[in-house]
Amino acid sequence: QVQLAESGGGSVQSGGSLKLSCVVSGLPFGDYCLGWFRQRPGVVERELGAIAGIDRDGTTTYADSVKGRFSISKDSASKTLFLQMNSLNPDDTAKYYCAAHLVCGRLQEASFWGQGIQVTVSS
């Protein structure tokens, strides 16, 4: 059974940092492209396009909204995906999801998703 389990969310003040983790089980970790999405309050759909993605070879991509503040990484030994979030601001308040897909560059069509974890940034 495939499972993606996020952790590390919570509440933080503006300017603070959080590090999200996503433990992946039930699929060959190294074969998949991985990414993070978010769904802001009052928005029905998750933001189109990953806010951060990492390919099989470790190549990373970022949405403009988080570039320079967020850093995605992965650890193959523990099958864990990370998202280091720095300089957080209230606009980053959202439910964050990790995702796994065989097709890099099309993570929004991912086959596997975590259940999501809340990040709240107060001003």
Side-chain angles (χ1 to χ4, degrees):
Q1 182 180 357
V2 177
Q3 187 173 12
L4 282 69
E6 299 102 337
S7 63
S11 297
V12 65
Q13 289 192 324
S14 186
S17 299
L18 283 174
K19 187 173 185 177
L20 303 183
S21 298
C22 172
V23 177
V24 179
S25 59
L27 54 80
F29 187 80
D31 290 353
Y32 279 76
C33 299
L34 306 167
W36 291 95
F37 292 74
R38 65 186 180 186
Q39 185 171 8
R40 290 171 169 160
V43 178
V44 175
E45 299 291 335
R46 281 185 287 253
E47 289 183 18
L48 292 177
I51 57 168
I54 186 165
D55 289 354
R56 298 178 191 85
D57 64 358
T59 300
T60 59
T61 56
Y62 297 94
D64 288 343
S65 58
V66 305
K67 198 173 293 182
R69 300 187 300 123
F70 291 11
S71 178
I72 188 171
S73 61
K74 62 180 179 178
D75 178 62
S76 297
S78 62
K79 297 186 178 183
T80 304
L81 176 69
F82 301 101
L83 185 68
Q84 176 68 47
M85 304 186 293
N86 300 325
S87 302
L88 286 161
N89 61 66
D91 286 341
D92 296 315
T93 294
K95 195 167 186 179
Y96 285 72
Y97 299 82
C98 58
H101 197 35
L102 284 171
V103 181
C104 297
R106 302 187 69 172
L107 275 168
Q108 64 272 22
E109 301 170 12
S111 304
F112 305 106
W113 293 85
Q115 79 283 359
I117 193 161
Q118 182 66 35
V119 170
T120 302
V121 185
S122 58
S123 57

